[in-house]
Amino acid sequence: MKSWLTTTDHKRIALLYLGTMTLFFTLGGLLATVIRVELATAASDLVTAETYNRLFTLHGVIMVFFFLIPSIPTFLGNYLLPLMLGAPDLAFPRLNLASWYVFVAGGLLTLTAMIAGGLDTGWTFYTPYSTTFSDSHVVLAVLGVFLAGLSSVFTGINFIVTTHRLRAPGLTWMRLPLFVWSLYATSLILVLATPVLAMTLLLVAIERGLQIGIFDPEVGGSPLLFQHFFWFYSHPAVYIMILPGMGVISELIPCFSRNRPFGYEFVAASSLAIAVFGFLVWGHHMFVAGQSYFASVVFSFLSFAVAVPSGVKVFSWLGTMHRGSVWLTTPMIYALGFVALFTIGGGTGLALAMLAVDVHLHDTYFVVAHFHTIMVGGMLMAYLGGLHFWWPKISGRLYSERWGRIAAYILLIGFLLTFLPQFLLGTQGLPRRTASYPPEYQFLQGLSSAGATILAVGYVLPGIYLLASLVRGRPAGDNPWGATGLEWQTTSPPPPHNFAAPPVVTDDPYDYPRAPQPTAIGAGHV
């Protein structure tokens, strides 16, 4: 136990993050289960309206700040970045361990707030309710999120310095794996945007304690100022969640298409472009908040513009599969699910970027469905796809490919059944965050709750067969997928310092025509 709690090995720290975030994901999922059971009927007959407010608030806070934002960077990024760069570890190993301890401390503070009675402000902490009127444990929760943000900054600094300083000889910028490009862009957002959230949450705690008039209009403050601060971080946070997922998909599709990524340079540049545009569109969350009409028009235009670099990635994935030799393995099914859900979520996001349409859809279930399609559907598809892809490297064992495909299809079906009805509910004007609703909406709400049951099965199954593979799985070998990249040139699992000798890079990062033949790919060729 001491060796794990004092380790500076990036691989062990990644596994510590994996265990911690799995616990938070389980807790957030249980809260979501209670929410969906409550919404299966029109009346508020399971919990009170006040309890419902605390349920969806804690579900949002835990899922966003303690799973979705850190999931791929802190687990897959921590584990794979040094391996992909040919480095023995991250640039600052002790800072890496400190980031996990700070993350755990933030989680414990938030759980303390939940145990003490909960939080009812929504995960956005909107003022002046959070600073003046709420009688829940706001200060504990915002301090927990503050610490989670500090952990993210530590991780971002570590990734940036590692990418600049610890690349293997011959690994030029144009030879970097696309996953590394996505982590680099994400780290820039983490370092530049997270301090704004930290400052804002500290101001909320200060105003709640001292009532000094930062956000409360009764004492000279501005609630809109809080929204500008919060969304200046929280819209880039969308890309903190989705950019690493895009990087994972850009590794999976070339591998299982046995083809080079189409437009590598454009895809790498699009990651940086998304990071830049992410800082320019926060105002599209405030179309009905009272900001100037001119500002809303500008933010609407920029919201459409950010779709361009995202579209570059989608067309790259389609172009890579074109004339490729596609294998429908478990990771590839997750990758295709990501492309489908990301396209649906992106298209509905463009609808919300239209000023007139947003006035009708704002604060309805349409927003809930859009957010979950991108973040929960898309990001979780990428997370599980990456987990299955690199599981043989991490564990040294192969899982059941049959059960992997079954779980992937169940997850996709469950997700569509859960959230497609919510798009319809939103267009019909049903407000979100309400424990009861008119009876005419019960069929679609019941359909959504039934889909959530299927979705839960899709989440539980991978945990069962991945853990079983640790005991019963066949040895994976060093490169079971026949993939390219430095991480596949070392043993599975890798040794403490990753490589027996420092690697030297001389080839293209995706030279699949000369890649070794896969040994773990079964049926499913199309």
Side-chain angles (χ1 to χ4, degrees), residues 157-393:
I157 292 172
N158 225 340
F159 285 4
I160 291 170
V161 176
T162 302
T163 305
H164 275 273
R165 304 297 298 172
L166 297 184
R167 301 194 308 275
L171 187 59
T172 62
W173 284 95
M174 286 296 105
R175 285 178 173 171
L176 288 177
L178 290 170
F179 184 52
V180 174
W181 275 107
S182 71
L183 289 176
Y184 184 78
T186 302
S187 299
L188 293 175
I189 302 174
L190 284 171
V191 172
L192 295 174
T194 307
V196 178
L197 174 71
M199 171 194 71
T200 305
L201 295 181
L202 281 181
L203 290 176
V204 168
I206 291 170
E207 173 153 333
R208 188 169 175 84
L210 302 178
Q211 297 298 313
I212 58 176
I214 304 169
F215 304 122
D216 186 353
E218 290 191 359
V219 285
S222 170
L224 277 184
L225 179 63
F226 173 86
Q227 290 195 37
H228 280 293
F229 282 163
F230 182 85
W231 289 116
F232 184 80
Y233 162 80
S234 293
H235 193 83
V238 171
Y239 301 110
I240 293 173
M241 300 179 219
I242 205 66
L243 261 175
M246 292 174 166
V248 169
I249 302 306
S250 294
E251 299 295 323
L252 302 189
I253 288 180
C255 178
F256 297 112
S257 301
R258 315 307 295 171
N259 202 4
R260 289 184 173 93
F262 177 70
Y264 167 90
E265 294 83 359
F266 287 96
V267 178
S270 70
S271 293
L272 298 178
I274 288 173
V276 172
F277 274 108
F279 284 98
L280 304 177
V281 294
W282 78 91
H284 80 207
H285 295 271
M286 301 171 58
F287 286 159
V288 299
Q291 67 181 0
S292 74
Y293 179 74
F294 177 76
S296 294
V297 170
V298 171
F299 283 123
S300 176
F301 172 78
L302 291 172
S303 299
F304 282 100
V306 79
V308 175
S310 300
V312 167
K313 291 186 179 294
V314 174
F315 283 111
S316 169
W317 300 327
L318 297 177
T320 303
M321 288 186 285
H322 179 61
R323 295 183 180 177
S325 180
V326 177
W327 295 83
L328 291 179
T329 61
T330 299
M332 188 62 169
I333 295 170
Y334 280 115
L336 295 176
F338 173 92
V339 175
L341 293 177
F342 178 75
T343 304
I344 294 172
T348 54
L350 293 178
L352 292 172
M354 302 181 202
L355 293 176
V357 176
D358 185 76
V359 170
H360 173 63
L361 297 178
H362 188 81
D363 260 346
T364 68
Y365 269 88
F366 192 95
V367 177
V368 176
H370 159 71
F371 181 83
H372 283 77
T373 302
I374 290 281
M375 296 297 102
V376 180
M379 204 290 301
L380 265 172
M381 282 284 177
Y383 176 77
L384 289 172
L387 178 62
H388 285 79
F389 183 57
W390 283 292
W391 183 260
K393 176 58 60 179

Side-chain angles (χ1 to χ4, degrees), residues 51-68:
T51 301
Y52 184 82
N53 291 343
R54 295 170 191 258
L55 285 171
F56 73 69
T57 297
L58 287 167
H59 166 71
V61 168
I62 290 171
M63 283 299 207
V64 170
F65 296 111
F66 295 96
F67 179 74
L68 291 174

